[in-house]
Amino acid sequence: MNKRCWLIAMMLGALLLPLAALGEAGRKAVYLTFDDGPHPNTDKVLQILEEYDVPATFFTLGMYVSVYPERTKAIADAGHLLACHSYSHNYETLYASGESVLAEIRA
């Protein structure tokens, strides 16, 4: 998945996440999230989620999306929500300024 496709997927995720939070009033809910992936154990996580028919949100890092594009695609193909958790998640550079946060997301 190239950077442009990844950014579009992340932007769509940001738009859809609030919709996923809408539910029946008074009904308890748990939202399962996985951060800083994808990585080698993503395949096993997807297998377990499928086995139990559990949806999840994956907050991905762009640098790992570049390394594991097939795992990123598998997350989306399984119907889970993809969301951006920055490109590198390097706190020193990520939170240096407002512009640096935007640069990480655009990377």
Side-chain angles (χ1 to χ4, degrees), residues 3 6 37 60-67 84-88 107:
K3 287 183 181 181
W6 178 79
T60 60
L61 295 181
M63 64 184 193
Y64 294 142
V65 169
S66 298
V67 174
C84 178
H85 202 31
S86 80
Y87 188 81
S88 71

Side-chain angles (χ1 to χ4, degrees), residues 9 12 14 20 36 41-42 44 54-56 61 73 84 87 89 96-97:
L12 287 173
D36 303 339
N41 67 354
T42 298
K44 181 64 175 169
V54 175
L61 295 181
K73 184 176 181 324
C84 178
Y87 188 81
H89 210 294
S97 69

